[in-house]
Structure formats: C-alpha cells, structure tokens
Amino acid sequence: IISDIGFSFLQHLQKPLDGDMAECILPSKEYQKIFHDPLGISVITQDASYPNPNRFFCYYVFSKYFKSIPFFLQSFITPIESIYFASALAKILIQIFFLLLLGFFITGSRNIFNKDFLIAIALITPLFQTNGYRSYMGIIDPSITYTFSYALPCLWLLVFYFPFYKAYINEKKFTPNIFIIIILIGFTIFISLNGPLNPGVMVIISMLYLFHHFKLNYSIYQFATTSQKITIAIKSIPKSHLILFGFAGLMSLYSLYLGSKSSIYLDVKIPISERYMRLPEGIYYLISQKIGYPLLLIMIGINAFLIYKFYKTIEGNKILNLLKWIGIFSLFYIILLPLGGYRPYRHDIVRYDSIMPITLALIFIYGLSTIFLIRNIKNIRNYIYLIVVIAFSIVYTLADKLEPGRNDCEKQALTQLANSKDNTVLLNSDYTVMAWENITDSTASSFNAELLQYWGITKGKKLYYQIADKKE
C-alpha cells in the first residue's frame, strides 16, 4: 500500500499544469461572479449567466489551496517546483482519503491497522490508475482543476452517505439529533454546489432510498386501504431521513438548474436525442479499448456468481442486494447523463470523468465481495481464488507506468519566462504551458501571467506566446 501510494505521488508529480487554473484560482472577471454569488441567487432573480454557477465550493477550496500551500512549500523548494508539488500533494491526499473511506465502507472498521481493513485497501489500491487505464476508469485526473471539480466532490459524497450505509450494514437505525441534522443540511448545501457530478448522484440516491423505504413499509400493511398504506408508508420513514434526503433531492435539482444556465459552451449545443444516440458509443469505447473496465466487471461477475452459488448467507445476500442497487443506480445515472448538457471534449457523453460515481461504486463492491470470499472460501478453492485476485491486481499494477518527464518542457518554459527580462516572451517550448493548447497570442496568457507573478515565479507580469505546434 505504501509503495503504491509513493509511486502514485511520483506519477502525479510528473503531470503538467492545466489551462483552467489561472481563471479559477485568481479568479478571472467571469469566475468572480461565482465567488460573489455562492448560492447562484442571481441566476434566479436576474437571469444571470456565468461559468458553472453551481460549483462555488469546489472553486473556493481550489482557489484557497493554491493561494496558500505553494507559499508554504516555497520555504523548502523553488517557486516553480512548489506548484507541481502542491498539485501532486493535493492529488495524493485525495487518493489516500478515497482509499480510507472505501476501506471504512468495505469493512465497517475505523481501525486502519485492522487486518481486513488493510487487505481491503491493498485490493482496491491498484484500481486507482494514474496512467495505465486512467482514460477509461480514472478517479484522480491529470488536470488538477478537474481533480478538485470531480474527484474531491465525490469524496464529500462518500463522507455524507457513510453513516446511513453503516446503519444499513449493522441493521441499526441512524437517528441523528437536531444538531446533527442541521450540520448535515449545511453539508448538503456544500455538496450540491460542489462539482458537476454530485447533484445527479444525490437526486438518484434520494429517489431510490425514499422509494425503497416507501415500498418496504407499504407492503407490510396488507389489510389496510391504499390511502392508509400510503400514509403509513410515508410516516414510517424516519423523519430525519425524510428531511435530509428530501432536502438533498431539492438542493440537487436546484443545482442542476443552475448548471443548465452556465455560460460555458452555451453556443455549443446538440439535440438531446443526439446525445442519447451517442451513449452506446461512449459505453462501447470504455469497455473495448483497454481491458481495465471489462476486467473489473468480469471480476465482480465472478464474485457475484460464487456468492450466489455457494455463499448465500445473510452477509452474502446483503452484498448481492448492494450489487443490485448499484446496478439500478448506474442505469438511472447513465440514462440521466445526457440531460447534463454537452461538452465538445466529451463527445460521446460517457467518459471516465462523467461516470466516476459508477466507477467508485464498482471499486467498492469489488473490494466488499472479494473480502467476503477471502474470509469464506476454504481449502484448495481459497488458494485458486487468491491466485486469481493477485493476478487481477498485478494486471492493474503493471499497466500503471510512471511516464517520467511529462512536465519537463513546461518547467523549462517557466524557467525561461522567470529568467527573461522582457515583458513579452517567445517561449522555446513546443509543449503546452499552463494551457490546453499552444498560446500563439500573448494576450491570451494574461491570466496565467498574473498567477505566475502572484506565486513569485516571475517578477512582474510577463506575457508569453509560442509558435510551434502543440505536443503532448
């Protein structure tokens, strides 16, 4: 576990900076509107339109992090290195917290030195691909902006749902007092306005959770009238859960509405029907290009078959039931995905980042079912199964290579910029520099130049441009 995490950190350290950092961190004039209107009220009252009005909290955390941590690191390393180190540090911390939280979900133990907990972490660690199969099942994005916008918000979701899940596994009622309810309501606002994925996930989970409990309670009273059954079924749902999941659903719908008013790619639209037509192609791409995703699905299928055939205990049935609900959630999530809008860089709607909640759910159920089987399979079968699991982990470990030097050219360009005495600099680099594509017009580097000056990398604001073609 330690070696894999250390290796991942080295991988993260090699990643270049992305083209959205400056606008979000400073922020730019357009992004300032998000900071001035955290709840997006102006979208309702003034029909305002600006970039991602439903992502205040992820941008706020992102901006605060990069306005403080690099300066702390500059006490030990150079200003240029501090940015890459800060990016890698954020990524590896998010990755570690994912592993810990998933370990809690899989084992129910909060003791990180518990044997089952460590085995669970060891099982899922190789599935966090930094390179390798990252383009198909990645959690931690090469782009630090995307990591704060996609991975980190999903982490908050796991924190929110953990007490409900733990109560379900332990067959106990989670009945928070009024103080906890208020905290969770505030946390709900934080989560729903935190990244593009959370609102859809919360709407679906709230819907499925309330429907499941309604159906369960409805079926108990067989001799009551339909109206009585409905009334009793609703009243039987714990009031605190009804409040929390109902509020989560409403806040998420509000967040989805705010997101629909984003000014980004406002003029780049395709019909909803065409978006749905592209879904199969996106799914096919994920499972056909590399073995990462299909191998995970096959392993989950093997685990489910073994549990169903040989180990349908109370715990085994719970795992199969969870797998069923993950399947239902995934189906709803994919069906609703085209309604979230269109991005040119996500041509087929389905991409590793847009289906991150499904990937996390699959990693969780793989870890949970594998731990269960390791505990229960006996004799020669145990050795055969362990060999399969180890081989499975080795495939992902070997696929996730280091890929050193990915940001060397960018660092050299920043060094050239820092050492130059000119206010506008022609960079020698033919690789992107804090951008998604080569900057051929120096005025387009204005925000980047401001941020580099803010970090102390350059003395004064220095614009830059390139003339060579982009290379990756």
Side-chain angles (χ1 to χ4, degrees):
I1 295 167
I2 292 171
S3 64
D4 194 284
I5 289 172
F7 187 74
S8 293
F9 179 76
L10 291 177
Q11 290 175 306
H12 296 319
L13 209 52
Q14 308 297 319
K15 300 300 180 184
L17 306 177
D18 68 69
D20 287 340
M21 292 182 70
E23 284 197 315
C24 298
I25 294 169
L26 285 173
S28 68
K29 184 178 179 181
E30 283 298 300
Y31 279 80
Q32 283 177 13
K33 296 176 183 177
I34 306 172
F35 288 79
H36 294 155
D37 188 12
L39 301 181
I41 304 299
S42 62
V43 174
I44 305 293
T45 59
Q46 303 171 24
D47 196 27
S49 178
Y50 49 87
N52 302 322
N54 61 338
R55 301 191 199 179
F56 163 73
F57 289 105
C58 73
Y59 286 145
Y60 179 82
V61 173
F62 183 48
S63 178
K64 289 296 182 183
Y65 179 87
F66 275 97
K67 283 186 173 180
S68 56
I69 299 302
F71 294 105
F72 169 75
L73 294 173
Q74 285 174 22
S75 302
F76 315 98
I77 53 181
T78 65
I80 291 176
E81 290 293 343
S82 72
I83 310 308
Y84 294 97
F85 198 95
S87 297
L89 180 62
K91 289 178 183 179
I92 201 62
L93 286 175
I94 292 170
Q95 185 171 324
I96 289 170
F97 279 112
F98 264 123
L99 293 172
L100 291 174
L101 272 170
L102 287 170
F104 296 151
F105 271 85
I106 291 167
T107 65
S109 173
R110 287 179 291 182
N111 179 8
I112 63 173
F113 297 108
N114 176 277
K115 184 179 71 173
D116 283 348
F117 186 90
L118 291 173
I119 293 173
I121 299 296
L123 287 170
I124 64 175
T125 294
L127 299 176
F128 280 74
Q129 297 277 290
T130 306
N131 297 318
Y133 306 130
R134 191 272 312 162
S135 297
Y136 310 92
M137 56 184 296
I139 303 299
I140 308 300
D141 203 280
S143 158
I144 186 61
T145 306
Y146 271 54
T147 299
F148 272 84
S149 299
Y150 286 79
L152 185 56
C154 285
L155 189 67
W156 301 129
L157 275 176
L158 291 180
V159 173
F160 179 80
Y161 287 116
F162 179 68
F164 298 97
Y165 168 78
K166 188 177 180 183
Y168 164 76
I169 289 297
N170 295 331
E171 296 182 351
K172 295 179 180 179
K173 287 186 177 180
F174 174 57
T175 51
N177 57 40
I178 186 65
F179 179 70
I180 298 298
I181 290 173
I182 292 171
I183 291 175
L184 288 176
I185 285 175
F187 197 36
T188 301
I189 296 171
F190 173 80
I191 294 172
S192 60
L193 298 175
N194 202 321
L197 303 181
N198 288 4
V201 173
M202 293 181 78
V203 165
I204 296 170
I205 291 180
S206 296
M207 178 185 69
L208 292 178
Y209 180 88
L210 294 175
F211 172 76
H212 168 68
H213 281 273
F214 176 84
K215 184 182 176 183
L216 197 66
N217 296 326
Y218 184 87
S219 61
I220 293 174
Y221 302 93
Q222 298 178 0
F223 302 103
T225 64
T226 302
S227 60
Q228 287 175 331
K229 285 183 179 181
I230 293 172
T231 304
I232 293 170
I234 293 173
K235 286 184 176 180
S236 297
I237 300 173
K239 285 185 179 179
S240 58
H241 293 204
L242 200 59
I243 292 169
L244 289 170
F245 281 87
F247 183 72
L250 290 174
M251 271 304 303
S252 297
L253 289 173
Y254 173 67
S255 180
L256 289 171
Y257 174 76
L258 292 181
S260 69
K261 297 296 182 178
S262 175
S263 61
I264 297 179
Y265 300 116
L266 199 60
D267 56 340
V268 183
K269 291 184 178 180
I270 62 172
I272 290 180
S273 58
E274 187 176 339
R275 292 181 225 164
Y276 276 102
M277 292 293 289
R278 294 184 182 187
L279 272 182
E281 187 176 346
I283 295 171
Y284 176 76
Y285 177 81
L286 282 179
I287 63 176
S288 65
Q289 300 302 303
K290 294 285 182 72
I291 64 170
Y293 228 109
L295 191 60
L296 175 59
L297 293 171
I298 289 169
M299 197 64 191
I300 292 170
I302 291 172
N303 286 357
F305 172 78
L306 291 173
I307 294 171
Y308 181 80
K309 196 73 176 175
F310 304 108
Y311 305 102
K312 285 193 74 175
T313 60
I314 293 174
E315 188 180 354
N317 281 326
K318 276 187 178 181
I319 293 171
L320 294 176
N321 195 45
L322 280 169
L323 180 57
K324 178 193 74 174
W325 282 109
I326 287 172
I328 294 170
F329 165 80
S330 301
L331 179 63
F332 274 102
Y333 186 85
I334 290 173
I335 289 173
L336 295 176
L337 204 52
L339 301 179
Y342 174 74
R343 297 288 188 271
Y345 55 82
R346 199 180 291 128
H347 180 267
D348 296 322
I349 311 300
V350 172
R351 202 174 74 157
Y352 72 94
D353 48 4
S354 65
I355 62 160
M356 192 178 294
I358 295 176
T359 305
L360 286 167
L362 293 176
I363 291 173
F364 154 70
I365 201 67
Y366 163 72
L368 182 68
S369 56
T370 303
I371 281 284
F372 172 77
L373 288 170
I374 289 173
R375 285 203 211 106
N376 287 276
I377 293 179
K378 305 298 181 184
N379 304 324
I380 189 67
R381 286 181 180 175
N382 195 35
Y383 294 106
I384 295 171
Y385 182 72
L386 282 174
I387 290 170
V388 172
V389 170
I390 291 169
F392 174 82
S393 296
I394 288 173
V395 169
Y396 289 90
T397 301
L398 294 179
D400 201 15
K401 301 183 186 301
L402 182 60
E403 297 185 8
R406 290 286 301 276
N407 55 23
D408 284 353
C409 291
E410 186 179 50
K411 286 181 181 178
Q412 291 170 10
L414 292 176
T415 301
Q416 178 193 348
L417 189 64
N419 294 335
S420 176
K421 295 180 180 180
D422 299 325
N423 292 326
T424 302
V425 182
L426 171 61
L427 297 179
N428 298 328
S429 176
D430 55 358
Y431 285 72
T432 57
V433 179
M434 285 187 69
W436 299 114
E437 55 188 21
N438 279 355
I439 296 175
T440 55
D441 179 1
S442 62
T443 58
S445 69
S446 180
F447 287 121
N448 289 353
E450 284 185 35
L451 186 57
L452 292 171
Q453 180 187 4
Y454 178 84
W455 280 329
I457 292 174
T458 60
K459 294 179 180 179
K461 182 177 177 179
K462 295 183 181 180
L463 303 178
Y464 61 89
Y465 65 102
Q466 301 160 279
I467 58 173
D469 294 331
K470 172 187 174 183
K471 288 185 180 180
E472 293 183 355

